[in-house]
Amino acid sequence: MTSPRIPVLSSAHRIFVLSRAFLRIGIIEVISYPMGFVTNQLASFGTIVLFYFVSGFVDKGGAFSGDAGAKVGYDYFTFVAIGYASVRFLAAGLKDLSIQFQNAIQAGYFEMLLVEPIHWHFLPVGLVQWPTLQAASMGTLTFALSITMGASYAFSGIPSAILLLALGVLATLAIGILASSIKILSKRSDPIATIYQMAATTFGAVVVPVEHFPEQVRWISYLLPHTYTISGLRRVLMPQGDQLTGPTVSESIFALTAFCLILYPIAFWMFGRSLSYARKAGLLGGY
Amino acid sequence: MKNAKVLIRNLTKTYEPAPLWSRFLVRTSSKEPIHALTDISFDVNSGEICVIVGPNGAGKSTLFRILTGLITPTSGYATIEGFDVTQESFHTRSTIGFMPADDRSLWLRLTCAENLAFHGRLQSIPEKQLEKRIREYLALVDLEHATHRVGFALSAGMRARLQLARALIHRPTVLILDEPTGTIDPVGAYQLLQLLQKIVKEEEIAVLISSHRLEEIESLDDNVALLDKGRLVHWGDLASLRRIWTVPRIDASFDSATAAEAALATLALSTDCSSQQSAPDTLTVTTKVSVGALLHLLHDHQSHITSIQESQMSLRELINQKLQAAEIERQETHL
């Protein structure tokens, strides 16, 4: 009997080869639609310009002084720019992964990917690589643009910021994988990603501090990796970040690590269960 | 004795109605269990082509999805190169070359070379060999000139050939081709099958191929698995199917309609054949007697016969007859 070549995923080389293959596909997809790429970048710049004007408008009422000002580090534009740029980074694991799955399913190559000799658990990781890089570039550009518009950052906090962002992206990717496990069965609807995104946009401390929310709903904020990533980033990147309320840097790092440790086993278990059910019910083909 | 590359034993797949919770996720119309495959068993050896034939809903796609690991069987099992397709799906997926029916399975924004490179990397083809292999397999399917052309710019026939190259580039020992000629013109289909037969001979691989085109089934002339409503109603070569089912047909033309009618009246008295007037001056006789014996029966009319010829039952009729017999048998079993 001929023994087949069995690719060993555990080997670092194999992971490198697979990652590179998916990365190339992502780049080719993007350069296939250059106008789409450029307009996506411009759209995020439009939002930061909007926040620039909103912060100027709010400050006219003297909102950046006293207790209210302390909550936003006396600089609402920098405060909200960090919130918005972080959202761009964190979108990769959640929204962009969902879009990648949707595209693969609708374009028709998802089934072929499942027939390739790769561990199915690697698929969400492979598919999200390029969107993560793209999101990181957009987030960084958003930060850069905000500097030109007057935002001020403590550059000494960049190493901690990178760590917080990496943990934040990892934690939201776990939620993205959890969401994908539903998407495999539901095909188009994406309840987990949609609900999470709604909660993160509203309660994730993107435009207002967590303390601004009524106490009865504040617990929602503390269930979201967004809150810890954004709060931690503000503390390390804002010049008066140490005066901010909300989770501290160490609390944020701890919470995000805990999210990863808890969510990844659940996400991969769910993904496996979902694939197993889809194989039994015949849902992997035909969409 | 040859080793069975693909071994299928008592393979059964029943799709249960979707549970209520899943109907909230996606609409489904199935309220009764669907028996997609029932007790299917056959083997495919190296160097053999097995054509899976059957009407829509016969179970061909379910069978292929089980073999590629996309669906788990309800009972029974299948192995490829000795690996269980359900339990060891990861291993079997590195052994097979799969060509799905849908040409959208290609990355249409990628060039031919990029499509093959992506697949090659997932299949663990070493980077040093990859470029050479891409050139080799694009040449094999006559797509060298389109190496840097994107999938969208290819004709249906070219896409099918690219899919075949993708299925072959990692040198699988088993090829699974789901209606490979479904979207291409007859000439393109003929060329693709010629190429496939050449590869099978040279590489000694086992091939499972589903097809709706009767001329293809006839031209491949290897083993046929005839599926109907999830059941295997025939397994073996076409000749064996013909031996069992073919009743020779003789077309006899007469110099006038009156002569044909007179001959028909004579043949009606014989119990060895059944005849009908297929044209005013022509009789079609289905009989197991020889042409000579038939001429003897028509002794008094011989001077009016202008031509006589024996023809084989067409494959369409043959398959239809076999399917009808299977249906009758199934109904009798239910009774």
Side-chain angles (χ1 to χ4, degrees):
Chain A
M1 189 179 78
T2 320
S3 51
R5 293 166 300 98
I6 302 165
V8 185
L9 184 68
S10 56
S11 75
H13 179 68
R14 172 76 177 145
I15 292 173
F16 172 73
V17 168
L18 288 181
S19 299
R20 203 171 58 167
F22 275 97
L23 211 54
R24 280 181 192 216
I25 290 286
I27 294 167
I28 294 167
E29 285 277 308
V30 166
I31 60 171
S32 300
Y33 304 98
M35 178 70 104
F37 178 71
V38 172
T39 48
N40 277 345
Q41 307 280 333
L42 289 177
S44 61
F45 292 161
T47 312
I48 200 71
V49 171
L50 171 71
F51 281 130
Y52 172 76
F53 288 117
V54 168
S55 64
F57 178 72
V58 172
D59 197 28
K60 275 182 185 159
F64 294 166
S65 58
D67 285 350
K71 284 179 184 171
V72 295
Y74 302 104
D75 180 359
Y76 183 68
F77 179 58
T78 305
F79 177 91
V80 80
I82 292 173
Y84 179 65
S86 309
V87 166
R88 285 305 316 143
F89 274 96
L90 301 181
L94 200 68
K95 190 173 139 217
D96 294 345
L97 176 61
S98 175
I99 292 169
Q100 289 293 314
F101 258 91
Q102 182 97 19
N103 286 348
I105 288 167
Q106 286 185 350
Y109 52 78
F110 185 64
E111 189 179 337
M112 199 60 217
L113 283 177
L114 294 168
V115 180
E116 300 284 5
I118 48 175
H119 282 285
W120 286 342
H121 289 93
F122 183 80
L123 280 179
V125 182
L127 286 171
V128 86
Q129 284 179 120
W130 172 249
T132 305
L133 282 182
Q134 206 177 340
S137 102
M138 284 170 80
T140 309
L141 284 171
T142 308
F143 272 125
L145 187 69
S146 70
I147 292 171
T148 65
M149 298 172 86
S152 58
Y153 298 109
F155 292 102
S156 58
I158 289 177
S160 309
I162 292 171
L163 174 68
L164 281 159
L165 279 171
L167 284 171
V169 169
L170 281 175
T172 43
L173 177 60
I175 297 169
I177 295 170
L178 205 58
S180 309
S181 55
I182 302 291
K183 190 140 203 167
I184 285 170
L185 304 177
S186 68
K187 312 303 179 194
R188 292 194 183 193
S189 53
D190 203 347
I192 292 180
T194 309
I195 292 168
Y196 178 85
Q197 199 128 28
M198 207 163 60
T201 312
T202 316
F203 298 108
V206 182
V207 290
V208 289
V210 175
E211 291 67 36
H212 186 73
F213 300 121
E215 257 179 63
Q216 295 88 333
V217 294
R218 220 174 278 171
W219 61 271
I220 300 173
S221 300
Y222 292 114
L223 286 177
L224 306 166
H226 271 66
T227 307
Y228 298 97
T229 313
I230 295 170
S231 299
L233 281 173
R234 282 177 182 146
R235 280 191 180 263
V236 297
L237 287 179
M238 288 186 78
Q240 300 192 50
D242 53 339
Q243 293 175 31
L244 291 170
T245 51
T248 63
V249 178
S250 52
E251 281 170 353
S252 294
I253 291 173
F254 176 79
L256 290 170
T257 310
F259 272 123
C260 290
L261 291 174
I262 295 165
L263 286 176
Y264 270 100
I266 296 172
F268 279 125
W269 179 80
M270 270 286 287
F271 195 72
R273 291 286 300 164
S274 183
L275 282 172
S276 163
Y277 177 78
R279 286 176 84 195
K280 190 179 161 202
L283 298 173
L284 281 183
Y287 290 89
Chain B
M1 196 182 112
K2 283 180 177 178
N3 279 332
K5 295 263 181 193
V6 182
L7 186 142
I8 298 168
R9 288 291 175 276
N10 311 109
L11 207 60
T12 297
K13 177 66 188 176
T14 304
Y15 295 109
E16 297 297 339
L20 274 177
W21 64 264
S22 76
R23 291 180 193 199
F24 181 65
L25 297 175
V26 62
R27 185 183 171 205
T28 172
S29 55
S30 65
K31 293 195 170 63
E32 299 290 326
I34 297 166
H35 303 288
L37 288 178
T38 307
D39 207 23
I40 304 290
S41 299
F42 64 86
D43 298 343
V44 187
N45 299 315
S46 53
E48 273 181 11
I49 299 177
C50 171
V51 192
I52 314 288
V53 190
N56 292 331
K60 304 185 293 292
S61 292
T62 297
L63 176 65
F64 281 5
R65 287 183 195 288
I66 289 174
L67 293 176
T68 50
L70 294 175
I71 291 178
T72 49
T74 308
S75 63
Y77 66 94
T79 64
I80 290 177
E81 290 280 17
F83 290 101
D84 188 291
V85 296
T86 307
Q87 305 299 328
E88 296 163 301
S89 161
F90 182 73
H91 297 310
T92 53
R93 280 185 275 135
S94 62
T95 310
I96 59 167
F98 178 51
M99 180 173 167
D102 192 348
D103 63 9
R104 293 184 315 144
S105 71
L106 292 166
W107 297 68
L108 297 177
R109 277 283 155 211
L110 269 61
T111 64
C112 294
E114 286 164 349
N115 262 291
L116 295 187
F118 178 62
H119 171 75
R121 290 189 180 107
L122 300 190
Q123 286 283 352
S124 296
I125 297 175
E127 205 68 27
K128 282 178 189 169
Q129 293 177 23
L130 192 56
E131 205 178 316
K132 190 173 160 247
R133 283 262 197 120
I134 291 170
R135 276 201 305 272
E136 183 188 336
Y137 281 89
L138 282 177
L140 182 73
V141 297
D142 197 20
L143 279 180
E144 266 175 316
H145 62 287
T147 302
H148 301 295
R149 209 183 286 178
V150 293
F152 274 119
L154 302 176
S155 69
M158 289 164 91
R159 283 185 200 175
R161 295 208 300 275
L162 179 59
Q163 287 201 95
L164 183 62
R166 183 180 61 181
L168 287 165
I169 194 168
H170 56 287
R171 295 181 179 151
T173 51
V174 174
L175 260 187
I176 298 174
L177 312 175
D178 194 1
E179 292 179 29
T181 56
T183 55
I184 52 182
D185 62 86
V187 176
Y190 173 76
Q191 288 168 346
L192 192 81
L193 293 176
Q194 290 284 308
L195 175 65
L196 183 67
Q197 282 175 310
K198 179 176 160 247
I199 294 164
V200 171
K201 266 187 199 162
E202 286 173 6
E203 309 278 333
E204 280 286 297
I205 53 181
V207 181
L208 273 132
I209 177 172
S210 72
S211 180
H212 281 301
R213 296 190 179 185
L214 297 169
E215 70 276 13
E216 284 175 11
I217 300 160
E218 230 158 6
S219 74
L220 288 168
D221 197 27
D222 222 318
N223 282 335
V224 173
L226 186 54
L227 290 180
D228 183 41
K229 293 179 182 157
R231 288 169 193 275
L232 185 66
V233 294
H234 173 77
W235 162 248
D237 56 17
L238 275 178
S240 67
L241 186 65
R242 282 214 159 91
R243 270 197 299 279
I244 301 165
W245 286 97
T246 298
V247 179
R249 198 175 72 181
I250 298 165
D251 290 315
S253 297
F254 293 84
D255 55 10
S256 67
T258 320
E261 279 163 18
L264 183 68
T266 304
L267 290 173
L269 301 171
S270 166
T271 53
D272 291 332
C273 53
S274 88
S275 342
Q276 59 176 7
Q277 212 164 346
S278 50
D281 59 351
T282 308
L283 296 185
T284 296
V285 186
T286 45
T287 176
K288 290 213 169 181
V289 302
S290 64
V291 178
L294 186 72
L295 283 172
H296 182 73
L297 279 171
L298 293 172
H299 179 264
D300 296 341
H301 310 276
Q302 274 182 13
S303 58
H304 298 287
I305 294 173
T306 54
S307 75
I308 189 159
Q309 64 178 27
E310 191 181 46
S311 61
Q312 266 206 329
M313 183 187 273
S314 74
L315 188 60
R316 190 187 308 275
E317 287 169 293
L318 184 68
I319 289 174
N320 193 39
Q321 206 161 345
K322 180 71 188 168
L323 292 179
Q324 278 177 0
E327 182 61 30
I328 291 165
E329 194 182 320
R330 192 160 38 237
Q331 283 171 0
E332 281 173 357
T333 313
H334 281 300
L335 288 172

